[in-house]
Amino acid sequence: MTATRVLVLNTGSSSVKYQLLDMADRSRLAVGLVERIGEESGRIKHTLVNGPQGKERTRETTGPVPDHEAALEAVADELARDGLGLDSPELAAVGHRVVHGGKRFTEPTLIDTAVVNEIERLSPVAPLHNPANLTGIRTAQKLRPDLPQVAVFDTAFHSTIPEAAARYAIDVETADRHRVRRYGFHGTSHAYVSRAAAKLVGKDPAEVNVIVLHLGNGASASAVRGGRCVETSMGLTPLEGLVMGTRSGDLDPAVVFHLMRVGGMSADEIDVLLNKRSGLVGLCGDNDMREIRRRVDEGDEAAKLAFDVYVHRLRKYVGAYYAVLGRVDVVAFTAGVGENSAPVRAAALEGLEGLGLAVDERLNSARADGPRVISPPHLPVAVAVVPTDEELEIAAETYELVTGARRRP
């Protein structure tokens, strides 16, 4: 029996998201979430995608999930109840989302002790993510020590950006000593969406220049030339770039010194401010774009300002990345806000008709699930909505690595 299944794990600080996929036909077999790990009221939601009579079947349970090991054991139990257990000979590998790979990890990587140690060494530049990712890796290794475990890094797709884009203009020795440079994040999403956008317009990714706008609670932009990322908005950490749900995005660095000297704030307090109390929530108290748009429609000035700041930053990045690429074939919106907010898409490109960019009002507002072009057919640049699929991207890269079919950019 050929092993064609891949279990994808996305282990966060208090949650585990998972999907089991069969790479023979790229289908989903099961998806699930374990959340509120370490709290009294943990929750497990598991969905068998193709259950009896071909229908989805979902189970939910609540109760304490004391730690990540218990969470992964619960995942294994849920899969086993559907005949999809981790002991199945059809399981080829486990693919792990790892947020920060630094300069060393630029491709999916088979996990061994040296890899684990390096991921751990990078934890200071991703303190909220890498330690949790490592917990998932170590627990999965205990459950199936014989199974290949693969790390797929958020930063890997952006490792092709040129040095002029990756470098910050600070003392080189200091930067190198402390690994300060632009790494970029959401890489699996940007990789998947840039290829899917090329397919949507009927071209090979190697022939297409794409601006990808990944707009969720975290948000990032990338400029992709011929399938290779040449610029991205997030930097050393996921804080830089676009306005996000709770993160500030771009900021004059002197604001930090000002808040220390004049505001009497500590480094930790400023960290919390910029990462958790800024962005949309800092501007208007909400980080849900649906709620913000509802408030805008009711005449709420704070919500309107938040929306305007958000789309102004987006428009600025689109223009900047147009200049970086020189020619743009597709602008692709993806993730929760990008896929579902027609007002954001329209406002982000408003006034850019001179660059060949606009949305068709009817196409933009129409409800649809799959990839689609929403720009007028006569314009030279296609504007598209491309649903992201990071789990499929991780599964594909994991499977290609363990089967020796790894594609090269």
Side-chain angles (χ1 to χ4, degrees), residues 249-321:
D250 291 340
L251 190 77
D252 178 352
V255 169
V256 175
F257 312 139
H258 178 79
L259 292 175
M260 285 180 169
R261 294 167 182 155
V262 178
M265 296 178 70
S266 68
D268 287 344
E269 288 172 328
I270 296 171
D271 192 327
V272 170
L273 170 70
L274 298 183
N275 278 289
K276 298 183 178 179
R277 296 196 292 114
S278 294
L280 292 171
V281 80
L283 289 166
C284 71
D286 271 311
N287 65 332
D288 188 317
M289 185 57 72
R290 293 165 296 188
E291 179 64 15
I292 291 170
R293 283 303 309 174
R294 184 192 65 77
R295 290 171 54 186
V296 169
D297 292 341
E298 292 179 353
D300 187 308
E301 289 299 320
K304 184 178 185 304
L305 176 62
F307 182 81
D308 289 347
V309 171
Y310 183 92
V311 297
H312 174 81
R313 186 78 57 83
L314 264 177
R315 193 181 304 121
K316 185 168 72 170
Y317 266 88
V318 170
Y321 286 3

Side-chain angles (χ1 to χ4, degrees), residues 14 27 36 43 49 57 60 75 100 108 123 143 156 158 174 192 197 211 230 233 266 296 310 340 354 356 374 392 399:
S14 62
S27 63
R36 299 194 288 270
R43 174 174 172 265
V49 175
R57 185 177 66 197
E60 288 194 39
V75 171
H100 215 309
S123 290
L143 292 173
H158 305 303
T174 301
Y192 177 86
I211 296 174
V230 295
S233 59
S266 68
V296 169
Y310 183 92
N340 296 297
I374 59 170
L392 177 58
Y399 188 66

Side-chain angles (χ1 to χ4, degrees), residues 89-101:
E90 295 178 74
L91 188 60
V94 179
H96 297 266
R97 180 202 180 201
V98 179
V99 167
H100 215 309

Side-chain angles (χ1 to χ4, degrees), residues 15-339:
S15 68
V16 175
K17 298 177 184 177
Y18 64 93
Q19 291 196 16
L20 180 67
L21 300 97
D22 191 330
M23 299 315 296
D25 57 4
R26 298 166 73 89
S27 63
R28 279 172 179 74
L29 303 176
V31 301
L33 169 67
V34 185
E35 59 184 344
R36 299 194 288 270
I37 296 171
E39 301 179 21
E40 292 183 4
S41 57
R43 174 174 172 265
I44 304 168
K45 181 178 181 180
H46 173 87
T47 298
L48 178 65
V49 175
N50 189 16
Q53 288 80 51
K55 296 180 180 179
E56 285 192 358
R57 185 177 66 197
T58 297
R59 297 189 295 266
E60 288 194 39
T61 57
T62 58
V65 182
D67 52 33
H68 285 79
E69 186 165 354
L72 267 294
E73 288 173 351
V75 171
D77 290 343
E78 291 293 338
L79 291 169
R81 287 178 64 183
D82 292 325
L84 303 170
L86 298 190
D87 58 350
S88 168
E90 295 178 74
L91 188 60
V94 179
H96 297 266
R97 180 202 180 201
V98 179
V99 167
H100 215 309
K103 287 185 69 177
R104 175 173 172 181
F105 298 118
T106 60
E107 293 184 342
T109 304
L110 280 170
I111 297 170
D112 57 19
T113 301
V115 171
V116 167
N117 291 340
E118 183 64 14
I119 294 172
E120 190 166 37
R121 194 176 73 87
L122 289 162
S123 290
V125 289
L128 299 178
H129 300 97
N130 275 31
N133 302 154
L134 277 172
T135 301
I137 289 170
R138 287 169 171 147
T139 304
Q141 287 177 323
K142 287 181 183 178
L143 292 173
R144 276 298 303 270
D146 60 311
L147 200 65
Q149 311 268 337
V150 175
V152 179
F153 298 91
D154 269 15
T155 50
F157 182 64
H158 305 303
S159 64
T160 56
I161 64 176
E163 197 69 1
R167 280 283 181 182
Y168 293 110
I170 66 173
D171 172 67
V172 171
E173 183 180 344
T174 301
D176 288 347
R177 183 165 65 251
H178 298 290
R179 304 188 296 280
V180 176
R181 62 186 288 112
R182 181 178 307 283
Y183 293 101
F185 299 88
H186 296 147
T188 52
S189 177
H190 286 273
Y192 177 86
V193 170
S194 61
R195 288 198 304 273
K199 181 179 179 181
L200 182 64
V201 298
K203 295 185 178 180
D204 189 295
E207 302 172 351
V208 178
N209 290 354
V210 185
I211 296 174
V212 178
L213 301 173
H214 176 108
L215 309 179
N217 193 50
S220 59
S222 68
V224 182
R225 177 184 292 125
R228 296 170 65 89
C229 184
V230 295
E231 178 62 284
T232 191
S233 59
M234 287 178 166
L236 172 71
T237 76
L239 180 60
E240 188 181 359
L242 303 176
V243 176
M244 305 178 221
T246 65
R247 299 178 197 146
S248 65
D250 291 340
L251 190 77
D252 178 352
V255 169
V256 175
F257 312 139
H258 178 79
L259 292 175
M260 285 180 169
R261 294 167 182 155
V262 178
M265 296 178 70
S266 68
D268 287 344
E269 288 172 328
I270 296 171
D271 192 327
V272 170
L273 170 70
L274 298 183
N275 278 289
K276 298 183 178 179
R277 296 196 292 114
S278 294
L280 292 171
V281 80
L283 289 166
C284 71
D286 271 311
N287 65 332
D288 188 317
M289 185 57 72
R290 293 165 296 188
E291 179 64 15
I292 291 170
R293 283 303 309 174
R294 184 192 65 77
R295 290 171 54 186
V296 169
D297 292 341
E298 292 179 353
D300 187 308
E301 289 299 320
K304 184 178 185 304
L305 176 62
F307 182 81
D308 289 347
V309 171
Y310 183 92
V311 297
H312 174 81
R313 186 78 57 83
L314 264 177
R315 193 181 304 121
K316 185 168 72 170
Y317 266 88
V318 170
Y321 286 3
Y322 204 119
V324 167
L325 291 169
R327 185 199 84 241
V328 176
D329 300 293
V330 188
V331 173
F333 288 88
T334 194
V337 175
E339 293 170 28

